[in-house]
Amino acid sequence: MCTDELRMLGCVRVATASQMARVITAEDKDGCSYVRRAMRKLEEQGLAETNGKLGKENIWNLTKRGQQVLVDGGELPLRPKAGTGGDGVKAGFGPHGVAVTDMTLAYGGPEHLTSWQVEVSHRIKETGLNFNTDAVLALPTASSEVRLFELDNSTMSQARLAKEVWDYERYAGHRVWEGARGTNGKTYAFWSRYRYTRSERFPTLHVVLAGKPEHLLDNRLKVLARAARGISVHVLAVTLPALQRGEPWQQLGVDDPYGRRERYPEPVGR
């Protein structure tokens, strides 16, 4: 039997009882006690488990069996490479996962939960570029089928954060030769042929900063804005508190396919 708690964990991978209560119970009620009782029942049934805490709250995730129950019930599509999130929590990434869940709830709200995927791989074997996007929202616009989200929980250096943002330009700029042997002299963008085939433009990257007091996040955002200057993909950034208040995003970069073509003129290794 599928429950609201199972469905939510199937979408966001990890969550606390208070996060689930915000989605599942009425806004004017404290549903944490209800959710905690429900999670204990799911734990007894072998469908959910907790592998760590954030403060005093347990961080919950599905078990493999819980994932399969959702698939068998037709609640969510089968995602063969999707993990449960338990290993990440055990490895110390629970706070990051909880912050990602906060981000998804702040941006899309409960009505878009089933449109999210977390930890989505972006890889180009030929160049060795390989990174995971924290969350991808399948909410099409006129020019793009998805929106990309990176959550920085202030656990990495400013230089590392800037590199992660620039990796998206490297991914968007990679081109491959047309034809089996690349003999006709034409190239096309890797992402448009093999990944986001229904998009006219490379998807917008949304960067959300969390994990520190807001005045420090504001400073971190200013440093990132300087580091991203001149990037040729559309990048928007905001702090998590500002996102939760519904404040506007700051634009760090604009989509510029012609600029990318100049920066990455032809594929590697022809």
Side-chain angles (χ1 to χ4, degrees), residues 17-169:
S18 61
Q19 287 176 321
M20 287 186 273
R22 282 157 48 192
V23 174
I24 295 166
T25 62
E27 291 183 4
D28 60 344
K29 294 182 179 179
D30 179 8
C32 289
S33 296
Y34 165 81
V35 171
R36 291 190 186 102
R37 290 193 298 272
M39 294 311 299
R40 291 301 181 192
K41 290 181 181 179
L42 293 175
E43 185 178 33
E44 292 170 1
Q45 296 166 2
L47 302 178
E49 62 185 6
T50 178
N51 290 286
K53 289 179 176 289
L54 182 63
K56 295 182 179 180
E57 284 206 81
N58 288 325
I59 301 173
W60 292 93
N61 61 270
L62 296 182
T63 62
K64 294 283 189 183
R65 182 183 170 198
Q67 280 186 319
Q68 195 59 49
V69 166
L70 283 177
V71 173
D72 293 344
E75 300 291 333
L76 290 174
L78 177 63
R79 295 168 181 167
K81 295 184 179 180
T84 63
D87 289 342
V89 176
K90 292 176 185 176
F93 298 110
H96 180 270
V98 170
V100 170
T101 299
D102 274 334
M103 175 185 70
T104 61
L105 296 179
Y107 185 86
E111 64 271 22
H112 295 307
L113 267 183
T114 57
S115 298
W116 288 96
Q117 288 192 60
V118 295
E119 289 296 311
V120 177
S121 175
H122 286 86
R123 180 171 181 259
I124 301 176
K125 183 178 180 180
E126 292 76 11
T127 66
L129 185 63
N130 186 12
F131 60 91
N132 287 338
T133 300
D134 286 322
V136 175
L137 176 61
L139 192 62
T141 66
S143 60
S144 185
E145 62 199 87
V146 300
R147 307 173 193 191
L148 310 176
F149 289 78
E150 280 292 335
L151 186 284
D152 166 48
N153 207 33
S154 298
T155 55
M156 67 179 78
S157 68
Q158 292 278 19
R160 172 74 182 278
L161 174 59
K163 179 188 178 300
E164 289 200 353
V165 171
W166 280 93
D167 277 346
Y168 285 88
E169 190 202 64

Side-chain angles (χ1 to χ4, degrees), residues 178-228:
E178 188 72 71
R181 297 182 180 178
T183 57
N184 67 4
K186 295 181 180 180
T187 64
Y188 55 86
F190 173 89
W191 66 267
S192 66
R193 183 69 61 92
Y194 295 110
R195 195 53 185 267
Y196 301 114
T197 58
R198 299 190 303 277
S199 296
E200 295 179 5
R201 295 182 177 182
F202 187 75
T204 298
L205 172 62
H206 300 72
V207 182
V208 179
L209 307 182
K212 286 187 176 182
E214 192 166 6
H215 71 283
L216 296 179
L217 295 180
D218 289 336
N219 293 336
R220 196 167 173 84
L221 179 53
K222 291 176 183 176
V223 174
L224 179 61
R226 290 195 296 269

